[in-house]
């Protein structure tokens, strides 16, 4: 089914309210959830493009099997939208139970889309999980609003992210930390910079980062986009890209596919600056021998795009109890600390250190920071995501201008 067809279906389906199924597991009765989950297989739809992340999910699956009798089957996606489309198609054909997707790694646009179209488990469940008590709800606003959309207990926080750049300090003494300096550096070093093509998330994030630094009034991005004003408002963004593209890798006619290819291009010395949404990602790659030990990180001087990522359960999931048990385990201090370990993944935690007991705090105290990982002060301020309508418009306009090699 094409995306156009799915959009048409969505337009008709989103008006239909979703109500909780009487048989849906109630996380307030956690022993009953554990009992129901035992023996279930959870089809976890998650991006599968990085070996370290895949390895972490495999570890979590082994722990869930041994501790709770839950089998975690990692369905490796190239694009989270594929899972959303599948759930939407199932709803359109009346498959209201026994769906193929039990748990989705999700954020932003896809969460907003699923919430609007009634594709999520309708009753708040995430904020009733036992380990939600450790989440840093008070300190991290991004855990309560996903791309400005209220979370309202419909997805469980899993990790945080912030855009940063990395480079080989053996090649570059002073990396460019402003947009003007980056534009000059690209012009002076033709072929040594690129980014991922939107709608890949790191590519779209880079475009939003540029927009926040270039639009005359970036605060307009906190509200739904006004199509009548979009062209004039975003003109500085496209002017910056039009000027920079000819001096980018392969003359700006081809772009990277994702963060993995960006990392490979830098490791192979095809480019000199790459980007990631994981502040510990470059250090993790150094430890794995993928990047040279001289790689270091930097951020732009006006703040960095940041958000959180979550786990969501579709309305028609076949193993809802098992999905809740999986989400709760991945929110545990043990699982969060292992995920934050740069030798494993290096993904920042969503937990509040002060809420942990001594054992939990020790798990994080023992973590080591690699040479390319910036401290909290070095990362600087976080730029919260714009209204989700902006991502869709920016991606469409980027594709119109550059997808054929503009």
């Amino acid at each position: 089914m094409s995306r156009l067809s799915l959009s048409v279906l969505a337009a008709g389906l989103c008006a239909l309210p979703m109500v909780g199924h009487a048989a849906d597991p109630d996380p307030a009765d956690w022993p009953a959830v554990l009992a129901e989950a035992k023996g279930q297989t959870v089809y976890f739809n998650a991006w599968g493009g990085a070996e370290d992340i895949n390895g972490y999910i495999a570890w979590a699956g082994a722990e869930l099997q041994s501790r709770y009798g839950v089998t975690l089957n990692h369905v490796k996606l190239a694009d989270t939208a594929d899972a959303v489309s599948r759930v939407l198609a199932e709803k359109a054909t009346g498959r209201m139970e026994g769906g193929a997707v039990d748990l989705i790694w999700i954020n932003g646009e896809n969460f907003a889309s699923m919430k609007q179209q009634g594709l999520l488990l309708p009753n708040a469940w995430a904020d009733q999980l036992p380990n939600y008590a450790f989440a840093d709800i008070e300190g991290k606003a991004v855990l309560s609003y996903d791309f400005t959309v209220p979370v309202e207990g419909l997805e469980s926080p899993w990790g945080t992210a912030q855009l940063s750049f990395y480079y080989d300090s053996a090649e570059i003494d002073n990396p460019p930390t402003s947009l003007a300096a980056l534009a000059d550096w690209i012009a002076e070093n033709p072929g040594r910079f690129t980014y991922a093509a939107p709608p890949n998330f790191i590519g779209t994030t880079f475009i939003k980062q540029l927009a926040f630094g270039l639009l005359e009034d970036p605060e307009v991005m906190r509200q739904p986009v006004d199509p009548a004003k979009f062209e004039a408002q975003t003109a500085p963004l496209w002017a910056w890209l039009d000027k920079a593209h000819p001096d980018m890798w392969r003359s700006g006619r081809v772009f990277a596919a994702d963060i993995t290819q960006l990392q490979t291009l830098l490791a192979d010395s095809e480019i000199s600056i790459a980007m990631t949404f994981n502040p510990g990602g470059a250090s993790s790659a150094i430890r794995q021998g993928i990047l040279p030990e001289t790689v270091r990180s930097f951020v732009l001087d006006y703040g960095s795009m940041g958000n959180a990522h979550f786990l969501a359960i579709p309305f028609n999931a076949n193993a809802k109890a098992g999905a809740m048990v999986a989400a709760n385990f991945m929110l545990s201090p043990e699982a969060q600390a292992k995920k934050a370990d740069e030798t494993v993944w290096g993904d920042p935690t969503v937990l509040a250190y002060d809420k942990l007991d001594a054992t939990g705090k020790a798990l994080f105290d023992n973590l080591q920071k690699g040479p390319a990982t910036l401290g909290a002060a070095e990362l600087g301020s976080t730029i919260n995501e714009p209204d989700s309508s902006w991502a869709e418009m920016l991606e469409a306009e980027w594709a119109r201008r550059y997808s054929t090699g503009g």
Side-chain angles (χ1 to χ4, degrees), residues 159 166 193 195 291 304 309 311 325 337 384 396 406:
Y166 56 94
F193 183 90
Y195 58 98
L291 294 176
S304 303
H309 46 99
L311 302 176
V325 171
N384 292 331

PDB file of all heavy atoms in Angstrom, residues 159 166 193 195 291 304 309 311 325 337 384 396 406:
ATOM      1  N   GLY A 159      15.293   7.117  26.054  1.00  0.00           N
ATOM      2  CA  GLY A 159      16.610   7.742  25.988  1.00  0.00           C
ATOM      3  C   GLY A 159      16.497   9.187  25.541  1.00  0.00           C
ATOM      4  O   GLY A 159      15.427   9.635  25.108  1.00  0.00           O
ATOM      5  N   TYR A 166      31.376  15.731  15.078  1.00  0.00           N
ATOM      6  CA  TYR A 166      32.695  15.224  15.451  1.00  0.00           C
ATOM      7  C   TYR A 166      33.647  15.299  14.258  1.00  0.00           C
ATOM      8  O   TYR A 166      33.216  15.328  13.103  1.00  0.00           O
ATOM      9  CB  TYR A 166      32.621  13.813  16.042  1.00  0.00           C
ATOM     10  CG  TYR A 166      31.968  12.754  15.188  1.00  0.00           C
ATOM     11  CD1 TYR A 166      32.736  11.930  14.359  1.00  0.00           C
ATOM     12  CD2 TYR A 166      30.592  12.541  15.231  1.00  0.00           C
ATOM     13  CE1 TYR A 166      32.151  10.931  13.597  1.00  0.00           C
ATOM     14  CE2 TYR A 166      29.993  11.551  14.472  1.00  0.00           C
ATOM     15  CZ  TYR A 166      30.771  10.755  13.653  1.00  0.00           C
ATOM     16  OH  TYR A 166      30.179   9.769  12.897  1.00  0.00           O
ATOM     17  N   PHE A 193      32.454  17.847   3.634  1.00  0.00           N
ATOM     18  CA  PHE A 193      31.301  17.909   4.543  1.00  0.00           C
ATOM     19  C   PHE A 193      30.057  17.408   3.824  1.00  0.00           C
ATOM     20  O   PHE A 193      29.862  17.667   2.633  1.00  0.00           O
ATOM     21  CB  PHE A 193      31.058  19.354   5.018  1.00  0.00           C
ATOM     22  CG  PHE A 193      29.927  19.494   6.002  1.00  0.00           C
ATOM     23  CD1 PHE A 193      30.158  19.386   7.366  1.00  0.00           C
ATOM     24  CD2 PHE A 193      28.618  19.719   5.574  1.00  0.00           C
ATOM     25  CE1 PHE A 193      29.112  19.507   8.283  1.00  0.00           C
ATOM     26  CE2 PHE A 193      27.571  19.834   6.493  1.00  0.00           C
ATOM     27  CZ  PHE A 193      27.824  19.731   7.844  1.00  0.00           C
ATOM     28  N   TYR A 195      25.763  15.725   4.926  1.00  0.00           N
ATOM     29  CA  TYR A 195      24.795  15.334   5.945  1.00  0.00           C
ATOM     30  C   TYR A 195      23.892  14.280   5.321  1.00  0.00           C
ATOM     31  O   TYR A 195      24.005  13.971   4.132  1.00  0.00           O
ATOM     32  CB  TYR A 195      24.003  16.550   6.447  1.00  0.00           C
ATOM     33  CG  TYR A 195      23.232  17.321   5.396  1.00  0.00           C
ATOM     34  CD1 TYR A 195      21.871  17.100   5.195  1.00  0.00           C
ATOM     35  CD2 TYR A 195      23.859  18.284   4.605  1.00  0.00           C
ATOM     36  CE1 TYR A 195      21.153  17.810   4.243  1.00  0.00           C
ATOM     37  CE2 TYR A 195      23.149  18.995   3.652  1.00  0.00           C
ATOM     38  CZ  TYR A 195      21.804  18.756   3.464  1.00  0.00           C
ATOM     39  OH  TYR A 195      21.101  19.458   2.512  1.00  0.00           O
ATOM     40  N   LEU A 291      36.576   4.609  14.600  1.00  0.00           N
ATOM     41  CA  LEU A 291      37.111   5.954  14.409  1.00  0.00           C
ATOM     42  C   LEU A 291      38.483   6.065  15.070  1.00  0.00           C
ATOM     43  O   LEU A 291      38.764   5.385  16.063  1.00  0.00           O
ATOM     44  CB  LEU A 291      36.162   6.988  15.015  1.00  0.00           C
ATOM     45  CG  LEU A 291      34.790   7.144  14.359  1.00  0.00           C
ATOM     46  CD1 LEU A 291      33.924   8.135  15.149  1.00  0.00           C
ATOM     47  CD2 LEU A 291      34.914   7.593  12.906  1.00  0.00           C
ATOM     48  N   SER A 304      21.808  23.249  20.595  1.00  0.00           N
ATOM     49  CA  SER A 304      21.726  22.059  19.750  1.00  0.00           C
ATOM     50  C   SER A 304      20.344  21.432  19.858  1.00  0.00           C
ATOM     51  O   SER A 304      19.762  21.369  20.942  1.00  0.00           O
ATOM     52  CB  SER A 304      22.773  21.023  20.184  1.00  0.00           C
ATOM     53  OG  SER A 304      24.067  21.555  20.140  1.00  0.00           O
ATOM     54  N   HIS A 309      13.604   9.892  23.011  1.00  0.00           N
ATOM     55  CA  HIS A 309      12.950   8.841  22.236  1.00  0.00           C
ATOM     56  C   HIS A 309      12.244   7.878  23.182  1.00  0.00           C
ATOM     57  O   HIS A 309      12.595   7.767  24.357  1.00  0.00           O
ATOM     58  CB  HIS A 309      13.923   8.133  21.297  1.00  0.00           C
ATOM     59  CG  HIS A 309      15.237   7.735  21.888  1.00  0.00           C
ATOM     60  ND1 HIS A 309      15.497   6.458  22.327  1.00  0.00           N
ATOM     61  CD2 HIS A 309      16.362   8.447  22.124  1.00  0.00           C
ATOM     62  CE1 HIS A 309      16.741   6.400  22.785  1.00  0.00           C
ATOM     63  NE2 HIS A 309      17.287   7.580  22.685  1.00  0.00           N
ATOM     64  N   LEU A 311       9.203   4.351  23.770  1.00  0.00           N
ATOM     65  CA  LEU A 311       8.650   3.067  23.352  1.00  0.00           C
ATOM     66  C   LEU A 311       7.127   3.176  23.408  1.00  0.00           C
ATOM     67  O   LEU A 311       6.571   3.602  24.427  1.00  0.00           O
ATOM     68  CB  LEU A 311       9.135   1.944  24.272  1.00  0.00           C
ATOM     69  CG  LEU A 311      10.659   1.777  24.362  1.00  0.00           C
ATOM     70  CD1 LEU A 311      11.010   0.692  25.372  1.00  0.00           C
ATOM     71  CD2 LEU A 311      11.246   1.444  22.999  1.00  0.00           C
ATOM     72  N   VAL A 325       5.970  -5.108  29.988  1.00  0.00           N
ATOM     73  CA  VAL A 325       7.083  -5.654  30.763  1.00  0.00           C
ATOM     74  C   VAL A 325       8.421  -5.272  30.111  1.00  0.00           C
ATOM     75  O   VAL A 325       9.380  -4.902  30.800  1.00  0.00           O
ATOM     76  CB  VAL A 325       6.952  -7.182  30.895  1.00  0.00           C
ATOM     77  CG1 VAL A 325       8.213  -7.794  31.504  1.00  0.00           C
ATOM     78  CG2 VAL A 325       5.739  -7.523  31.744  1.00  0.00           C
ATOM     79  N   ALA A 337      21.515   2.148  32.727  1.00  0.00           N
ATOM     80  CA  ALA A 337      22.958   2.325  32.919  1.00  0.00           C
ATOM     81  C   ALA A 337      23.745   1.568  31.857  1.00  0.00           C
ATOM     82  O   ALA A 337      24.751   2.064  31.333  1.00  0.00           O
ATOM     83  CB  ALA A 337      23.360   1.858  34.315  1.00  0.00           C
ATOM     84  N   ASN A 384      14.706  22.781  21.902  1.00  0.00           N
ATOM     85  CA  ASN A 384      13.611  21.816  21.832  1.00  0.00           C
ATOM     86  C   ASN A 384      13.037  21.741  20.419  1.00  0.00           C
ATOM     87  O   ASN A 384      13.111  22.698  19.643  1.00  0.00           O
ATOM     88  CB  ASN A 384      12.516  22.186  22.832  1.00  0.00           C
ATOM     89  CG  ASN A 384      12.979  22.003  24.262  1.00  0.00           C
ATOM     90  OD1 ASN A 384      13.831  21.162  24.548  1.00  0.00           O
ATOM     91  ND2 ASN A 384      12.429  22.799  25.165  1.00  0.00           N
ATOM     92  N   ALA A 396       9.534  17.976   2.813  1.00  0.00           N
ATOM     93  CA  ALA A 396       8.928  18.055   1.475  1.00  0.00           C
ATOM     94  C   ALA A 396       9.632  19.096   0.612  1.00  0.00           C
ATOM     95  O   ALA A 396       9.911  18.862  -0.578  1.00  0.00           O
ATOM     96  CB  ALA A 396       7.434  18.368   1.604  1.00  0.00           C
ATOM     97  N   GLY A 406      20.092  18.527  -6.632  1.00  0.00           N
ATOM     98  CA  GLY A 406      20.145  19.960  -6.871  1.00  0.00           C
ATOM     99  C   GLY A 406      21.293  20.660  -6.223  1.00  0.00           C
ATOM    100  O   GLY A 406      21.985  20.148  -5.410  1.00  0.00           O
TER     101      GLY A 406
END
